[in-house]
Amino acid sequence: NETLVHQLVTAYLANGRSGTRAQKARSDVNKSTKKPWRQKGTGRARQGSTRAPNWVGGGTVFGPTPRKYTKAMPKKMQRLALRSALSSKAASGQLVVVDKVAIDEPKTKTAAKMLAALGVNEQSVLLVMAEKNIPVWKSVHNLPQVKSLQSGYLNIRDLLGHDMLLLTKDAVDAIEAWLAVPAAEEAEA
């Protein structure tokens, strides 16, 4: 479902924006409210305020103001989009499932050898585990094209942004429980 996946990616990226940039309008500028000179008789153009945009140090016209970029998306649609992305990864052969990833002490060389043995060392890899394993996380952390996540933090941007998806069996079980279609929804369909 490409449309739904696109919608989720757009919402994910939009929700990451802070929306805090701003410029001062003429009411926000810290200047006097006094009329610079009298209206008539000086030979100069009439002016009402030094806060006007045509003055140096004056306010900006239609400048950016703080705003929210957030986009809401129903959870059922989010889950459906994640299921679609996962199934497309599986269909294209970009999904690898292993029993477990066990590294006793944190060594990047050990993690690199493990990935080379799996045949995924040339691509960017998203390693998803059910729970955080400190030695594995530290071993993978220094590899530039590898990112590790807990299964509860799986998101569409990381899923589509990496060439290969490496899952442990515990992570697969957790993701299935999370993204499974409830029986009530199956009855409706």
Side-chain angles (χ1 to χ4, degrees):
N1 195 337
E2 289 180 23
T3 308
L4 208 54
V5 170
H6 176 268
Q7 194 174 347
L8 183 59
V9 170
T10 307
Y12 185 87
L13 294 174
N15 293 345
R17 295 179 71 177
S18 60
T20 55
R21 55 186 293 244
Q23 285 186 335
K24 291 182 178 179
R26 65 186 294 163
S27 60
D28 303 321
V29 174
N30 186 13
K31 285 186 170 258
S32 173
T33 56
K34 181 177 179 284
K35 192 171 170 63
W37 51 79
R38 63 180 204 246
Q39 182 83 350
K40 291 179 164 293
T42 61
R44 303 177 75 181
R46 55 193 177 190
Q47 298 292 327
S49 172
T50 54
R51 297 180 179 196
N54 58 325
W55 281 67
V56 174
T60 304
V61 183
F62 305 129
T65 55
R67 68 189 186 104
K68 293 182 181 175
Y69 290 96
T70 55
K71 294 184 179 193
M73 191 168 173
K75 286 189 179 179
K76 285 183 183 179
M77 290 172 67
Q78 291 179 21
R79 290 186 187 130
L80 182 59
L82 279 172
R83 282 197 299 266
S84 296
L86 283 168
S87 62
S88 71
K89 283 276 187 193
S92 61
Q94 296 178 328
L95 186 114
V96 178
V97 179
V98 294
D99 284 336
K100 64 178 182 175
V101 179
I103 297 176
D104 296 332
E105 58 180 289
K107 287 202 177 284
T108 305
K109 192 182 288 186
T110 309
K113 284 181 184 176
M114 177 195 67
L115 292 173
L118 290 170
V120 295
N121 58 340
E122 298 296 321
Q123 299 136 333
S124 60
V125 178
L126 180 64
L127 172 62
V128 181
M129 297 179 290
E131 51 197 36
K132 192 169 187 177
N133 186 340
I134 299 295
V136 173
W137 183 80
K138 284 185 176 179
S139 300
V140 169
H141 185 67
N142 283 336
L143 295 171
Q145 292 191 338
V146 181
K147 181 176 182 177
S148 65
L149 278 179
Q150 291 179 18
S151 58
Y153 293 105
L154 186 65
N155 60 73
I156 194 78
R157 182 176 179 223
D158 287 332
L159 196 59
L160 298 178
H162 290 82
D163 298 330
M164 293 297 291
L165 180 62
L166 181 60
L167 296 166
T168 62
K169 282 201 173 172
D170 295 341
V172 171
D173 295 338
I175 291 169
E176 279 181 357
W178 174 40
L179 296 179
V181 179
E185 286 181 38
E186 284 182 12
E188 290 175 10

